[in-house]
Amino acid sequence: MKPRKSVFSVKAAVAAWSLTMSLAGFCGAAAPIETVPWNGHVGAVSFTFDDALENQVQNLTPILDELKDVHVTFFVTSMGNGIQNNAAGFANLAKAGHEIGNHTDTHAHLSGISDNSELENEIVKFADKIESTMAENGAKVRVTSLATPFCENNDKIKSVINKRHFINRDCGWHGRNEWDVEPEWLSIQAKVWTRSGASVEELLSSLDTAAFIGNFEGAKPWEVSVKGGSWLVVLNHGVTDDKGDDYAINPEDIKKLFKHALENDLWTAPFGTIGAYHRAHFIVDKAEKNETENGYTVQWEIPNEHMPESVPLRVKIDTKSVDEKAIVEQDGKILKQESDGTYIIEFMAKALTVRKPKEGEKNPQDSTTAIAQNPKFEREYTNFTLFDMNGNKLGAVDNFAVPERFPKGTYIIRAESKGHPSKTVKMVHK
Ligand SMILES: [Zn+2]
């Protein structure tokens, strides 16, 4: 969509955007809402863990308890009594914000099942069973995602999945999804980890690609071109040091990957969470305005009733064409503008209103607040490091700017400070 912008270009970008939007508003054409890619991060990653294994509960729980900004997905099944034997452990993980998804009742070869009611038992009924099992263990879980066992999928299977889930994970390929390319929601690809088939270095590099760090100009023609941050989906199984388990990853290695995802400023969140955000943006960004006496309303449809109950979207809204102090409302509730000028809207509310303030009505925010006017925002980071596009460290710099003495070209600057996630920005030095 749009290239990522450095922090100090935000003011200019917001101004340019406002101008574009007010011109568009003037012509009465463009859609008034634009979702911010990947919830304001450079890219996104969903780590998914299949098969409801005991070693996932044992070895991942302490790592995830430590890394509070990492949330993952567990695709559970009754195979080996996985969910039954580990119900309390998975319920605790659910309570900590991790997703519990469906991996079918018996881990069946779905393409070999011709009987529709059997497919429904594996897929639809088991989703209910997961929810009741989690509820018995004190966790309120809404199953919205499925992952096909053995990645066996076809149109008939998809039609059954669609009855109870809004998204499905298959496997294979590089597992990356671009912001502005709508994927096949019931067949999302994933990068598969096995000890023999991948290396930790390769996965670290995939996390760089998702964050748009690297030099992709020389990419081979058969490789998919990398044009910006993307959403990487990773498929894992066990988490153990047992080298005999080819599908498993060592606990210290998965921890290294989680940490690298955070270092790269990737939105590290469950498959269903990022999938819902991604799916919602294709709808909201196309929704058109209906003019009203004092502003406009926008309405949209929910594409699948099995989306999560709440799908918060970080968006830019054309308010300037209505009023400098325009008010944004959903369900009669006034939304507060974020410090960067965006709004967090609820996709599942299916509508929003932008209107002029009423006589004497105070707007809870000053709509002219922007990041660039908040000096604290730029001072948040204390250390800035410059890298070339091959990842070579070139030294410390003062801010998000490449010093004049460096040759023209593209660079990476990583900003860090205590108590904040680091931020990596790609800069063109002209
Ligand atoms: Zn499996």
Side-chain angles (χ1 to χ4, degrees):
M1 209 161 194
K2 282 179 179 165
R4 196 147 47 83
K5 294 168 191 91
S6 69
V7 168
F8 55 65
S9 74
V10 164
K11 189 177 184 179
V14 167
W17 176 79
S18 305
L19 179 66
T20 315
M21 292 312 280
S22 51
L23 287 173
F26 188 71
C27 308
I33 308 175
E34 184 188 337
T35 308
V36 176
W38 315 125
N39 202 16
H41 294 256
V42 46
V45 58
S46 295
F47 292 95
T48 64
F49 297 86
D50 288 13
D51 297 356
L53 302 169
E54 187 181 14
N55 63 34
Q56 294 166 348
V57 173
Q58 284 175 342
N59 298 327
L60 274 182
T61 303
I63 296 172
L64 293 169
D65 283 350
E66 187 187 326
L67 303 175
K68 297 282 184 214
D69 290 330
V70 173
H71 291 101
V72 305
T73 299
F74 296 95
F75 284 115
V76 302
T77 167
S78 300
M79 176 178 67
N81 284 322
I83 185 60
Q84 290 78 2
N85 291 348
N86 301 291
F90 284 112
N92 280 335
L93 286 159
K95 282 189 263 182
H98 304 289
E99 179 183 21
I100 308 296
N102 186 352
H103 198 36
T104 78
D105 188 8
T106 70
H107 204 277
H109 281 280
L110 297 176
S111 57
I113 300 175
S114 52
D115 181 16
N116 242 349
S117 67
E118 202 182 322
L119 271 182
E120 299 234 354
N121 286 343
E122 287 286 355
I123 293 169
V124 177
K125 283 214 177 126
F126 189 60
D128 298 337
K129 176 76 182 163
I130 294 169
E131 289 179 359
S132 62
T133 305
M134 290 295 98
E136 284 158 22
N137 287 273
K140 187 174 176 282
V141 165
R142 183 178 156 103
V143 171
T144 64
S145 310
L146 186 118
T148 46
F150 314 104
C151 300
E152 286 181 18
N153 203 349
N154 59 37
D155 286 348
K156 184 178 173 182
I157 295 166
K158 281 177 200 165
S159 74
V160 180
I161 296 172
N162 195 50
K163 285 183 183 175
R164 186 59 175 74
H165 313 78
F166 83 97
I167 194 165
N168 170 58
R169 195 216 65 206
D170 287 338
C171 35
W173 219 30
H174 52 61
R176 279 195 314 275
N177 298 278
E178 287 179 64
W179 177 248
D180 53 1
V181 179
E182 188 155 6
E184 198 186 330
W185 299 108
L186 297 179
S187 183
I188 301 277
Q189 304 300 307
K191 186 166 178 66
V192 183
W193 163 267
T194 58
R195 291 185 195 276
S196 56
S199 66
V200 175
E201 283 62 38
E202 187 189 327
L203 277 174
L204 289 168
S205 151
S206 294
L207 292 168
D208 288 342
T209 307
F212 198 41
I213 296 170
N215 185 350
F216 306 105
E217 283 156 23
K220 298 175 187 75
W222 59 85
E223 286 172 350
V224 174
S225 63
V226 179
K227 290 172 283 185
S230 50
W231 172 33
L232 174 69
V233 180
V234 183
L235 193 174
N236 278 97
H237 288 87
V239 180
T240 165
D241 285 322
D242 176 6
K243 298 279 183 293
D245 184 348
D246 189 45
Y247 285 98
I249 188 165
N250 295 346
E252 61 270 30
D253 287 336
I254 194 73
K255 189 173 179 183
K256 200 186 281 181
L257 296 177
F258 289 161
K259 282 184 152 177
H260 196 60
L262 297 179
E263 280 161 17
N264 280 359
D265 188 32
L266 291 171
W267 183 22
T268 308
F271 180 70
T273 305
I274 299 177
Y277 189 99
H278 196 205
R279 189 162 183 179
H281 108 81
F282 289 102
I283 293 158
V284 158
D285 291 9
K286 271 187 245 159
E288 289 178 8
K289 54 168 93 164
N290 304 304
E291 306 284 348
T292 60
E293 271 178 16
N294 59 354
Y296 64 85
T297 61
V298 189
Q299 286 169 314
W300 57 86
E301 300 284 330
I302 302 297
N304 179 303
E305 60 179 305
H306 302 290
M307 289 183 80
E309 265 170 21
S310 172
V311 181
L313 289 185
R314 183 183 296 272
V315 301
K316 296 172 187 169
I317 302 174
D318 162 30
T319 52
K320 295 279 178 348
S321 70
V322 170
D323 192 279
E324 275 296 320
K325 306 260 177 191
I327 282 173
V328 179
E329 275 181 346
Q330 280 193 296
D331 291 333
K333 211 180 119 219
I334 297 176
L335 304 188
K336 206 169 145 4
Q337 198 173 21
E338 301 293 300
S339 60
D340 63 356
T342 61
Y343 292 84
I344 310 287
I345 65 165
E346 175 52 63
F347 175 72
M348 300 306 272
K350 298 195 261 191
L352 67 75
T353 299
V354 178
R355 62 167 174 83
K356 290 191 174 87
K358 289 172 195 150
E359 184 92 33
E361 184 181 29
K362 273 228 170 126
N363 192 322
Q365 70 249 335
D366 175 9
S367 63
T368 58
T369 308
I371 295 180
Q373 290 166 337
N374 180 358
K376 192 172 152 273
F377 188 85
E378 277 194 60
R379 287 194 207 126
E380 210 172 65
Y381 299 105
T382 49
N383 297 315
F384 296 83
T385 314
L386 184 69
F387 297 86
D388 68 17
M389 292 304 283
N390 295 318
N392 299 310
K393 196 171 171 178
L394 303 175
V397 290
D398 297 334
N399 50 32
F400 283 112
V402 182
E404 272 308 313
R405 65 178 183 277
F406 287 94
K408 292 178 175 59
T410 309
Y411 295 83
I412 299 290
I413 293 177
R414 173 170 290 164
E416 290 156 306
S417 76
K418 259 204 168 137
H420 292 101
S422 67
K423 186 176 181 70
T424 309
V425 174
K426 190 174 175 181
M427 310 266 336
V428 179
H429 180 44
K430 290 183 204 160

